[in-house]
PDB file of all heavy atoms in Angstrom:
ATOM      1  N   LEU X   1      20.846  -5.738  31.252  1.00  0.00           N
ATOM      2  CA  LEU X   1      20.899  -6.435  30.011  1.00  0.00           C
ATOM      3  C   LEU X   1      22.231  -6.399  29.313  1.00  0.00           C
ATOM      4  O   LEU X   1      22.452  -7.178  28.367  1.00  0.00           O
ATOM      5  CB  LEU X   1      19.846  -5.891  29.006  1.00  0.00           C
ATOM      6  CG  LEU X   1      18.427  -6.009  29.336  1.00  0.00           C
ATOM      7  CD1 LEU X   1      17.539  -5.404  28.434  1.00  0.00           C
ATOM      8  CD2 LEU X   1      18.143  -7.440  29.608  1.00  0.00           C
ATOM      9  N   ALA X   2      23.198  -5.567  29.804  1.00  0.00           N
ATOM     10  CA  ALA X   2      24.549  -5.532  29.197  1.00  0.00           C
ATOM     11  C   ALA X   2      25.229  -6.989  29.271  1.00  0.00           C
ATOM     12  O   ALA X   2      25.793  -7.450  28.271  1.00  0.00           O
ATOM     13  CB  ALA X   2      25.405  -4.552  29.922  1.00  0.00           C
ATOM     14  N   PRO X   3      25.224  -7.733  30.360  1.00  0.00           N
ATOM     15  CA  PRO X   3      25.881  -8.992  30.424  1.00  0.00           C
ATOM     16  C   PRO X   3      25.098 -10.049  29.416  1.00  0.00           C
ATOM     17  O   PRO X   3      25.727 -10.826  28.832  1.00  0.00           O
ATOM     18  CB  PRO X   3      25.721  -9.559  31.812  1.00  0.00           C
ATOM     19  CG  PRO X   3      25.575  -8.372  32.644  1.00  0.00           C
ATOM     20  CD  PRO X   3      24.763  -7.317  31.718  1.00  0.00           C
ATOM     21  N   LEU X   4      23.750  -9.820  29.202  1.00  0.00           N
ATOM     22  CA  LEU X   4      23.140 -10.662  28.356  1.00  0.00           C
ATOM     23  C   LEU X   4      23.486 -10.494  26.891  1.00  0.00           C
ATOM     24  O   LEU X   4      23.746 -11.424  26.080  1.00  0.00           O
ATOM     25  CB  LEU X   4      21.532 -10.511  28.475  1.00  0.00           C
ATOM     26  CG  LEU X   4      20.809 -11.353  27.513  1.00  0.00           C
ATOM     27  CD1 LEU X   4      20.815 -12.818  27.982  1.00  0.00           C
ATOM     28  CD2 LEU X   4      19.360 -10.912  27.514  1.00  0.00           C
ATOM     29  N   VAL X   5      23.699  -9.166  26.466  1.00  0.00           N
ATOM     30  CA  VAL X   5      24.370  -8.851  25.167  1.00  0.00           C
ATOM     31  C   VAL X   5      25.604  -9.459  24.926  1.00  0.00           C
ATOM     32  O   VAL X   5      25.966 -10.110  23.857  1.00  0.00           O
ATOM     33  CB  VAL X   5      24.220  -7.464  24.932  1.00  0.00           C
ATOM     34  CG1 VAL X   5      24.928  -7.088  23.717  1.00  0.00           C
ATOM     35  CG2 VAL X   5      22.835  -6.889  24.891  1.00  0.00           C
ATOM     36  N   LEU X   6      26.483  -9.434  26.028  1.00  0.00           N
ATOM     37  CA  LEU X   6      27.830 -10.062  25.803  1.00  0.00           C
ATOM     38  C   LEU X   6      27.707 -11.588  25.775  1.00  0.00           C
ATOM     39  O   LEU X   6      28.443 -12.198  24.982  1.00  0.00           O
ATOM     40  CB  LEU X   6      28.683  -9.815  27.179  1.00  0.00           C
ATOM     41  CG  LEU X   6      29.962 -10.257  27.220  1.00  0.00           C
ATOM     42  CD1 LEU X   6      30.873  -9.754  26.142  1.00  0.00           C
ATOM     43  CD2 LEU X   6      30.684 -10.095  28.562  1.00  0.00           C
ATOM     44  N   GLY X   7      26.812 -12.267  26.417  1.00  0.00           N
ATOM     45  CA  GLY X   7      26.600 -13.600  26.378  1.00  0.00           C
ATOM     46  C   GLY X   7      26.152 -14.094  25.024  1.00  0.00           C
ATOM     47  O   GLY X   7      26.555 -15.203  24.405  1.00  0.00           O
ATOM     48  N   VAL X   8      25.057 -13.293  24.420  1.00  0.00           N
ATOM     49  CA  VAL X   8      24.625 -13.609  23.119  1.00  0.00           C
ATOM     50  C   VAL X   8      25.807 -13.510  22.046  1.00  0.00           C
ATOM     51  O   VAL X   8      25.827 -14.221  21.161  1.00  0.00           O
ATOM     52  CB  VAL X   8      23.440 -12.787  22.826  1.00  0.00           C
ATOM     53  CG1 VAL X   8      23.079 -12.762  21.374  1.00  0.00           C
ATOM     54  CG2 VAL X   8      22.182 -13.155  23.733  1.00  0.00           C
ATOM     55  N   THR X   9      26.587 -12.447  22.191  1.00  0.00           N
ATOM     56  CA  THR X   9      27.552 -12.253  21.195  1.00  0.00           C
ATOM     57  C   THR X   9      28.744 -13.323  21.214  1.00  0.00           C
ATOM     58  O   THR X   9      29.168 -13.715  20.291  1.00  0.00           O
ATOM     59  CB  THR X   9      28.350 -10.835  21.585  1.00  0.00           C
ATOM     60  OG1 THR X   9      27.487  -9.887  21.624  1.00  0.00           O
ATOM     61  CG2 THR X   9      29.505 -10.554  20.699  1.00  0.00           C
ATOM     62  N   ARG X  10      28.989 -13.709  22.543  1.00  0.00           N
ATOM     63  CA  ARG X  10      30.016 -14.854  22.668  1.00  0.00           C
ATOM     64  C   ARG X  10      29.384 -16.170  22.074  1.00  0.00           C
ATOM     65  O   ARG X  10      30.113 -16.995  21.452  1.00  0.00           O
ATOM     66  CB  ARG X  10      30.286 -15.134  24.202  1.00  0.00           C
ATOM     67  CG  ARG X  10      31.261 -14.050  24.695  1.00  0.00           C
ATOM     68  CD  ARG X  10      31.485 -14.320  26.092  1.00  0.00           C
ATOM     69  NE  ARG X  10      32.416 -13.367  26.670  1.00  0.00           N
ATOM     70  CZ  ARG X  10      32.653 -13.274  28.010  1.00  0.00           C
ATOM     71  NH1 ARG X  10      32.141 -14.002  28.795  1.00  0.00           N
ATOM     72  NH2 ARG X  10      33.456 -12.302  28.385  1.00  0.00           N
ATOM     73  N   LYS X  11      28.114 -16.400  22.356  1.00  0.00           N
ATOM     74  CA  LYS X  11      27.445 -17.589  21.708  1.00  0.00           C
ATOM     75  C   LYS X  11      27.378 -17.587  20.155  1.00  0.00           C
ATOM     76  O   LYS X  11      27.698 -18.540  19.529  1.00  0.00           O
ATOM     77  CB  LYS X  11      26.050 -17.655  22.134  1.00  0.00           C
ATOM     78  CG  LYS X  11      25.459 -18.900  21.955  1.00  0.00           C
ATOM     79  CD  LYS X  11      25.997 -20.035  22.799  1.00  0.00           C
ATOM     80  CE  LYS X  11      24.944 -21.061  23.180  1.00  0.00           C
ATOM     81  NZ  LYS X  11      25.517 -22.166  23.823  1.00  0.00           N
ATOM     82  N   ILE X  12      27.160 -16.314  19.524  1.00  0.00           N
ATOM     83  CA  ILE X  12      27.155 -16.338  18.077  1.00  0.00           C
ATOM     84  C   ILE X  12      28.596 -16.418  17.534  1.00  0.00           C
ATOM     85  O   ILE X  12      28.829 -17.134  16.551  1.00  0.00           O
ATOM     86  CB  ILE X  12      26.611 -14.886  17.706  1.00  0.00           C
ATOM     87  CG1 ILE X  12      25.018 -14.827  18.057  1.00  0.00           C
ATOM     88  CG2 ILE X  12      26.734 -14.637  16.237  1.00  0.00           C
ATOM     89  CD1 ILE X  12      24.413 -13.452  17.820  1.00  0.00           C
ATOM     90  N   LYS X  13      29.524 -15.866  18.206  1.00  0.00           N
ATOM     91  CA  LYS X  13      30.915 -16.032  17.715  1.00  0.00           C
ATOM     92  C   LYS X  13      31.327 -17.634  17.797  1.00  0.00           C
ATOM     93  O   LYS X  13      32.090 -17.962  16.858  1.00  0.00           O
ATOM     94  CB  LYS X  13      31.981 -15.314  18.591  1.00  0.00           C
ATOM     95  CG  LYS X  13      31.957 -13.769  18.305  1.00  0.00           C
ATOM     96  CD  LYS X  13      32.999 -13.146  19.357  1.00  0.00           C
ATOM     97  CE  LYS X  13      33.715 -11.984  18.805  1.00  0.00           C
ATOM     98  NZ  LYS X  13      34.622 -11.387  19.806  1.00  0.00           N
ATOM     99  N   ALA X  14      30.930 -18.183  18.816  1.00  0.00           N
ATOM    100  CA  ALA X  14      31.318 -19.562  18.899  1.00  0.00           C
ATOM    101  C   ALA X  14      30.511 -20.330  17.780  1.00  0.00           C
ATOM    102  O   ALA X  14      31.159 -21.304  17.254  1.00  0.00           O
ATOM    103  CB  ALA X  14      30.909 -20.118  20.274  1.00  0.00           C
ATOM    104  N   ARG X  15      29.402 -20.026  17.511  1.00  0.00           N
ATOM    105  CA  ARG X  15      28.667 -20.794  16.604  1.00  0.00           C
ATOM    106  C   ARG X  15      29.280 -20.561  15.082  1.00  0.00           C
ATOM    107  O   ARG X  15      29.328 -21.451  14.336  1.00  0.00           O
ATOM    108  CB  ARG X  15      27.090 -20.436  16.601  1.00  0.00           C
ATOM    109  CG  ARG X  15      26.311 -20.785  17.634  1.00  0.00           C
ATOM    110  CD  ARG X  15      26.241 -22.284  17.817  1.00  0.00           C
ATOM    111  NE  ARG X  15      25.580 -22.619  18.993  1.00  0.00           N
ATOM    112  CZ  ARG X  15      24.898 -23.840  19.126  1.00  0.00           C
ATOM    113  NH1 ARG X  15      24.863 -24.655  18.253  1.00  0.00           N
ATOM    114  NH2 ARG X  15      24.379 -24.026  20.280  1.00  0.00           N
ATOM    115  N   LEU X  16      29.753 -19.296  14.976  1.00  0.00           N
ATOM    116  CA  LEU X  16      30.416 -19.060  13.651  1.00  0.00           C
ATOM    117  C   LEU X  16      31.528 -19.744  13.436  1.00  0.00           C
ATOM    118  O   LEU X  16      32.002 -20.110  12.416  1.00  0.00           O
ATOM    119  CB  LEU X  16      30.702 -17.511  13.493  1.00  0.00           C
ATOM    120  CG  LEU X  16      29.481 -16.677  13.278  1.00  0.00           C
ATOM    121  CD1 LEU X  16      29.830 -15.181  13.374  1.00  0.00           C
ATOM    122  CD2 LEU X  16      28.751 -16.971  11.920  1.00  0.00           C
ATOM    123  N   LEU X  17      32.320 -20.155  14.612  1.00  0.00           N
ATOM    124  CA  LEU X  17      33.487 -21.048  14.483  1.00  0.00           C
ATOM    125  C   LEU X  17      33.225 -22.459  14.671  1.00  0.00           C
ATOM    126  O   LEU X  17      34.096 -23.171  14.919  1.00  0.00           O
ATOM    127  CB  LEU X  17      34.494 -20.537  15.634  1.00  0.00           C
ATOM    128  CG  LEU X  17      35.022 -19.115  15.409  1.00  0.00           C
ATOM    129  CD1 LEU X  17      35.787 -18.670  16.698  1.00  0.00           C
ATOM    130  CD2 LEU X  17      35.843 -19.019  14.174  1.00  0.00           C
ATOM    131  N   ARG X  18      32.024 -22.794  14.670  1.00  0.00           N
ATOM    132  CA  ARG X  18      31.448 -24.210  14.847  1.00  0.00           C
ATOM    133  C   ARG X  18      32.011 -24.896  16.075  1.00  0.00           C
ATOM    134  O   ARG X  18      32.310 -25.965  16.129  1.00  0.00           O
ATOM    135  CB  ARG X  18      31.946 -25.080  13.571  1.00  0.00           C
ATOM    136  CG  ARG X  18      31.345 -24.610  12.305  1.00  0.00           C
ATOM    137  CD  ARG X  18      31.820 -25.448  11.187  1.00  0.00           C
ATOM    138  NE  ARG X  18      31.256 -25.009   9.893  1.00  0.00           N
ATOM    139  CZ  ARG X  18      31.382 -25.566   8.867  1.00  0.00           C
ATOM    140  NH1 ARG X  18      32.129 -26.642   8.671  1.00  0.00           N
ATOM    141  NH2 ARG X  18      30.811 -25.056   7.671  1.00  0.00           N
ATOM    142  N   ARG X  19      31.674 -24.073  17.091  1.00  0.00           N
ATOM    143  CA  ARG X  19      31.870 -24.528  18.537  1.00  0.00           C
ATOM    144  C   ARG X  19      30.504 -24.438  19.198  1.00  0.00           C
ATOM    145  O   ARG X  19      29.631 -23.682  18.756  1.00  0.00           O
ATOM    146  CB  ARG X  19      32.961 -23.833  19.182  1.00  0.00           C
ATOM    147  CG  ARG X  19      34.283 -23.889  18.612  1.00  0.00           C
ATOM    148  CD  ARG X  19      35.289 -23.068  19.442  1.00  0.00           C
ATOM    149  NE  ARG X  19      36.502 -22.914  18.658  1.00  0.00           N
ATOM    150  CZ  ARG X  19      37.310 -21.888  18.975  1.00  0.00           C
ATOM    151  NH1 ARG X  19      37.080 -21.042  19.809  1.00  0.00           N
ATOM    152  NH2 ARG X  19      38.469 -21.831  18.210  1.00  0.00           N
ATOM    153  N   ILE X  20      30.423 -24.998  20.328  1.00  0.00           N
ATOM    154  CA  ILE X  20      29.261 -24.899  21.256  1.00  0.00           C
ATOM    155  C   ILE X  20      29.354 -23.586  21.918  1.00  0.00           C
ATOM    156  O   ILE X  20      28.260 -22.822  21.987  1.00  0.00           O
ATOM    157  CB  ILE X  20      29.171 -26.065  22.196  1.00  0.00           C
ATOM    158  CG1 ILE X  20      29.067 -27.411  21.463  1.00  0.00           C
ATOM    159  CG2 ILE X  20      28.034 -25.878  23.183  1.00  0.00           C
ATOM    160  CD1 ILE X  20      29.036 -28.616  22.349  1.00  0.00           C
ATOM    161  N   GLY X  21      30.354 -23.203  22.616  1.00  0.00           N
ATOM    162  CA  GLY X  21      30.511 -21.915  23.278  1.00  0.00           C
ATOM    163  C   GLY X  21      29.913 -21.991  24.653  1.00  0.00           C
ATOM    164  O   GLY X  21      29.247 -22.922  24.962  1.00  0.00           O
ATOM    165  N   PRO X  22      30.160 -20.908  25.444  1.00  0.00           N
ATOM    166  CA  PRO X  22      29.620 -20.811  26.894  1.00  0.00           C
ATOM    167  C   PRO X  22      28.163 -20.596  26.739  1.00  0.00           C
ATOM    168  O   PRO X  22      27.576 -20.143  25.758  1.00  0.00           O
ATOM    169  CB  PRO X  22      30.470 -19.701  27.388  1.00  0.00           C
ATOM    170  CG  PRO X  22      30.652 -18.716  26.164  1.00  0.00           C
ATOM    171  CD  PRO X  22      30.814 -19.666  24.995  1.00  0.00           C
ATOM    172  N   PRO X  23      27.438 -20.820  27.953  1.00  0.00           N
ATOM    173  CA  PRO X  23      26.037 -20.592  28.067  1.00  0.00           C
ATOM    174  C   PRO X  23      25.842 -19.107  27.927  1.00  0.00           C
ATOM    175  O   PRO X  23      26.632 -18.303  28.230  1.00  0.00           O
ATOM    176  CB  PRO X  23      25.701 -21.102  29.395  1.00  0.00           C
ATOM    177  CG  PRO X  23      26.848 -21.835  29.902  1.00  0.00           C
ATOM    178  CD  PRO X  23      27.973 -21.497  29.143  1.00  0.00           C
ATOM    179  N   THR X  24      24.519 -18.727  27.565  1.00  0.00           N
ATOM    180  CA  THR X  24      24.311 -17.275  27.373  1.00  0.00           C
ATOM    181  C   THR X  24      24.410 -16.543  28.704  1.00  0.00           C
ATOM    182  O   THR X  24      24.763 -15.401  28.674  1.00  0.00           O
ATOM    183  CB  THR X  24      22.867 -17.151  26.779  1.00  0.00           C
ATOM    184  OG1 THR X  24      22.800 -18.106  25.603  1.00  0.00           O
ATOM    185  CG2 THR X  24      22.575 -15.764  26.384  1.00  0.00           C
ATOM    186  N   TRP X  25      24.135 -17.198  29.758  1.00  0.00           N
ATOM    187  CA  TRP X  25      24.001 -16.488  31.067  1.00  0.00           C
ATOM    188  C   TRP X  25      25.494 -16.529  31.698  1.00  0.00           C
ATOM    189  O   TRP X  25      25.555 -16.082  32.965  1.00  0.00           O
ATOM    190  CB  TRP X  25      23.017 -17.135  31.902  1.00  0.00           C
ATOM    191  CG  TRP X  25      23.255 -18.508  32.268  1.00  0.00           C
ATOM    192  CD1 TRP X  25      24.047 -19.086  33.310  1.00  0.00           C
ATOM    193  CD2 TRP X  25      22.718 -19.794  31.593  1.00  0.00           C
ATOM    194  NE1 TRP X  25      24.094 -20.460  33.184  1.00  0.00           N
ATOM    195  CE2 TRP X  25      23.325 -20.869  32.169  1.00  0.00           C
ATOM    196  CE3 TRP X  25      22.004 -19.878  30.424  1.00  0.00           C
ATOM    197  CZ2 TRP X  25      23.056 -22.191  31.690  1.00  0.00           C
ATOM    198  CZ3 TRP X  25      21.692 -21.160  30.025  1.00  0.00           C
ATOM    199  CH2 TRP X  25      22.309 -22.220  30.667  1.00  0.00           C
ATOM    200  N   GLN X  26      26.475 -16.949  31.148  1.00  0.00           N
ATOM    201  CA  GLN X  26      27.761 -17.051  31.620  1.00  0.00           C
ATOM    202  C   GLN X  26      28.289 -15.728  32.229  1.00  0.00           C
ATOM    203  O   GLN X  26      28.982 -15.684  33.305  1.00  0.00           O
ATOM    204  CB  GLN X  26      28.747 -17.669  30.746  1.00  0.00           C
ATOM    205  CG  GLN X  26      30.192 -17.904  31.329  1.00  0.00           C
ATOM    206  CD  GLN X  26      30.149 -18.926  32.335  1.00  0.00           C
ATOM    207  OE1 GLN X  26      29.506 -19.997  32.261  1.00  0.00           O
ATOM    208  NE2 GLN X  26      30.823 -18.682  33.453  1.00  0.00           N
ATOM    209  N   PRO X  27      28.015 -14.624  31.513  1.00  0.00           N
ATOM    210  CA  PRO X  27      28.555 -13.388  32.089  1.00  0.00           C
ATOM    211  C   PRO X  27      27.902 -12.980  33.594  1.00  0.00           C
ATOM    212  O   PRO X  27      28.579 -12.380  34.308  1.00  0.00           O
ATOM    213  CB  PRO X  27      28.113 -12.308  31.110  1.00  0.00           C
ATOM    214  CG  PRO X  27      28.185 -13.013  29.728  1.00  0.00           C
ATOM    215  CD  PRO X  27      27.677 -14.430  30.095  1.00  0.00           C
ATOM    216  N   TYR X  28      26.677 -13.293  33.649  1.00  0.00           N
ATOM    217  CA  TYR X  28      26.055 -13.172  34.959  1.00  0.00           C
ATOM    218  C   TYR X  28      26.621 -14.091  36.078  1.00  0.00           C
ATOM    219  O   TYR X  28      26.885 -13.597  37.235  1.00  0.00           O
ATOM    220  CB  TYR X  28      24.509 -13.584  34.912  1.00  0.00           C
ATOM    221  CG  TYR X  28      23.701 -12.515  34.078  1.00  0.00           C
ATOM    222  CD1 TYR X  28      23.206 -12.989  32.904  1.00  0.00           C
ATOM    223  CD2 TYR X  28      23.436 -11.360  34.534  1.00  0.00           C
ATOM    224  CE1 TYR X  28      22.376 -12.118  32.128  1.00  0.00           C
ATOM    225  CE2 TYR X  28      22.632 -10.425  33.855  1.00  0.00           C
ATOM    226  CZ  TYR X  28      22.190 -10.834  32.588  1.00  0.00           C
ATOM    227  OH  TYR X  28      21.448  -9.997  31.852  1.00  0.00           O
ATOM    228  N   VAL X  29      26.972 -15.305  35.686  1.00  0.00           N
ATOM    229  CA  VAL X  29      27.786 -16.204  36.639  1.00  0.00           C
ATOM    230  C   VAL X  29      29.213 -15.525  36.960  1.00  0.00           C
ATOM    231  O   VAL X  29      29.640 -15.574  38.127  1.00  0.00           O
ATOM    232  CB  VAL X  29      27.920 -17.621  35.986  1.00  0.00           C
ATOM    233  CG1 VAL X  29      28.711 -18.412  36.959  1.00  0.00           C
ATOM    234  CG2 VAL X  29      26.526 -18.271  35.843  1.00  0.00           C
ATOM    235  N   ASP X  30      29.812 -15.090  36.007  1.00  0.00           N
ATOM    236  CA  ASP X  30      31.150 -14.387  36.094  1.00  0.00           C
ATOM    237  C   ASP X  30      30.993 -13.241  37.085  1.00  0.00           C
ATOM    238  O   ASP X  30      31.857 -13.077  38.007  1.00  0.00           O
ATOM    239  CB  ASP X  30      31.721 -13.996  34.849  1.00  0.00           C
ATOM    240  CG  ASP X  30      32.164 -15.172  34.059  1.00  0.00           C
ATOM    241  OD1 ASP X  30      32.182 -16.409  34.614  1.00  0.00           O
ATOM    242  OD2 ASP X  30      32.283 -15.060  32.751  1.00  0.00           O
ATOM    243  N   LEU X  31      29.935 -12.421  36.891  1.00  0.00           N
ATOM    244  CA  LEU X  31      29.776 -11.133  37.739  1.00  0.00           C
ATOM    245  C   LEU X  31      29.405 -11.576  39.136  1.00  0.00           C
ATOM    246  O   LEU X  31      29.875 -10.998  40.158  1.00  0.00           O
ATOM    247  CB  LEU X  31      28.551 -10.277  37.099  1.00  0.00           C
ATOM    248  CG  LEU X  31      28.997  -9.431  36.166  1.00  0.00           C
ATOM    249  CD1 LEU X  31      27.712  -8.661  35.562  1.00  0.00           C
ATOM    250  CD2 LEU X  31      29.941  -8.268  36.586  1.00  0.00           C
ATOM    251  N   TRP X  32      28.620 -12.619  39.242  1.00  0.00           N
ATOM    252  CA  TRP X  32      28.268 -13.039  40.707  1.00  0.00           C
ATOM    253  C   TRP X  32      29.594 -13.591  41.461  1.00  0.00           C
ATOM    254  O   TRP X  32      29.652 -13.136  42.601  1.00  0.00           O
ATOM    255  CB  TRP X  32      27.290 -14.261  40.506  1.00  0.00           C
ATOM    256  CG  TRP X  32      26.850 -14.725  41.815  1.00  0.00           C
ATOM    257  CD1 TRP X  32      27.387 -15.898  42.514  1.00  0.00           C
ATOM    258  CD2 TRP X  32      25.847 -14.230  42.859  1.00  0.00           C
ATOM    259  NE1 TRP X  32      26.745 -16.051  43.839  1.00  0.00           N
ATOM    260  CE2 TRP X  32      25.821 -15.027  43.927  1.00  0.00           C
ATOM    261  CE3 TRP X  32      25.116 -13.129  42.713  1.00  0.00           C
ATOM    262  CZ2 TRP X  32      25.049 -14.754  44.965  1.00  0.00           C
ATOM    263  CZ3 TRP X  32      24.210 -12.898  43.726  1.00  0.00           C
ATOM    264  CH2 TRP X  32      24.168 -13.686  44.857  1.00  0.00           C
ATOM    265  N   LYS X  33      30.447 -14.224  40.639  1.00  0.00           N
ATOM    266  CA  LYS X  33      31.615 -14.680  41.316  1.00  0.00           C
ATOM    267  C   LYS X  33      32.613 -13.664  41.617  1.00  0.00           C
ATOM    268  O   LYS X  33      33.201 -13.587  42.666  1.00  0.00           O
ATOM    269  CB  LYS X  33      32.255 -15.708  40.458  1.00  0.00           C
ATOM    270  CG  LYS X  33      33.439 -16.598  40.978  1.00  0.00           C
ATOM    271  CD  LYS X  33      33.723 -17.900  40.418  1.00  0.00           C
ATOM    272  CE  LYS X  33      33.968 -17.785  38.811  1.00  0.00           C
ATOM    273  NZ  LYS X  33      34.714 -18.986  38.340  1.00  0.00           N
ATOM    274  N   LEU X  34      32.605 -12.629  40.727  1.00  0.00           N
ATOM    275  CA  LEU X  34      33.528 -11.549  40.922  1.00  0.00           C
ATOM    276  C   LEU X  34      33.072 -10.669  42.040  1.00  0.00           C
ATOM    277  O   LEU X  34      33.946 -10.142  42.855  1.00  0.00           O
ATOM    278  CB  LEU X  34      33.568 -10.681  39.595  1.00  0.00           C
ATOM    279  CG  LEU X  34      34.538  -9.381  39.755  1.00  0.00           C
ATOM    280  CD1 LEU X  34      35.962  -9.771  39.789  1.00  0.00           C
ATOM    281  CD2 LEU X  34      34.274  -8.583  38.400  1.00  0.00           C
ATOM    282  N   LEU X  35      31.774 -10.550  42.116  1.00  0.00           N
ATOM    283  CA  LEU X  35      31.289  -9.632  43.333  1.00  0.00           C
ATOM    284  C   LEU X  35      31.446 -10.250  44.733  1.00  0.00           C
ATOM    285  O   LEU X  35      31.334  -9.620  45.692  1.00  0.00           O
ATOM    286  CB  LEU X  35      29.772  -9.212  43.108  1.00  0.00           C
ATOM    287  CG  LEU X  35      29.468  -8.229  41.993  1.00  0.00           C
ATOM    288  CD1 LEU X  35      28.071  -8.209  41.683  1.00  0.00           C
ATOM    289  CD2 LEU X  35      30.115  -6.967  42.174  1.00  0.00           C
ATOM    290  N   HIS X  36      31.623 -11.546  44.739  1.00  0.00           N
ATOM    291  CA  HIS X  36      31.818 -12.257  45.976  1.00  0.00           C
ATOM    292  C   HIS X  36      33.250 -12.534  46.390  1.00  0.00           C
ATOM    293  O   HIS X  36      33.449 -13.120  47.320  1.00  0.00           O
ATOM    294  CB  HIS X  36      30.929 -13.571  46.030  1.00  0.00           C
ATOM    295  CG  HIS X  36      29.550 -13.291  46.207  1.00  0.00           C
ATOM    296  ND1 HIS X  36      28.828 -12.949  45.124  1.00  0.00           N
ATOM    297  CD2 HIS X  36      28.767 -13.323  47.271  1.00  0.00           C
ATOM    298  CE1 HIS X  36      27.498 -12.818  45.443  1.00  0.00           C
ATOM    299  NE2 HIS X  36      27.451 -12.913  46.794  1.00  0.00           N
ATOM    300  N   LYS X  37      34.254 -11.930  45.608  1.00  0.00           N
ATOM    301  CA  LYS X  37      35.682 -12.094  45.835  1.00  0.00           C
ATOM    302  C   LYS X  37      36.029 -11.110  46.931  1.00  0.00           C
ATOM    303  O   LYS X  37      35.419 -10.131  47.010  1.00  0.00           O
ATOM    304  CB  LYS X  37      36.478 -11.870  44.548  1.00  0.00           C
ATOM    305  CG  LYS X  37      36.447 -13.094  43.699  1.00  0.00           C
ATOM    306  CD  LYS X  37      37.453 -12.707  42.484  1.00  0.00           C
ATOM    307  CE  LYS X  37      38.393 -13.758  42.351  1.00  0.00           C
ATOM    308  NZ  LYS X  37      39.379 -13.491  41.320  1.00  0.00           N
TER     309      LYS X  37
END
């Protein structure tokens, strides 16, 4: 759940700045890409 908390935090920060922001599951995608490097 740690990446999910990071994704929600990024989404809230983006909304506070009136942006759309990255998807909530983006940290999972980043981890998947990092693990396959």
Side-chain angles (χ1 to χ4, degrees):
L1 294 179
L4 181 66
V5 172
L6 179 64
V8 168
T9 304
R10 286 180 180 169
K11 192 69 148 174
I12 290 172
K13 279 178 151 182
R15 292 292 177 159
L16 288 173
L17 294 172
R18 294 186 179 181
R19 298 183 191 153
I20 296 174
T24 308
W25 62 87
Q26 186 65 42
Y28 291 108
V29 174
D30 295 340
L31 276 174
W32 180 261
K33 195 162 47 166
L34 181 66
L35 289 174
H36 286 83
K37 283 181 123 179

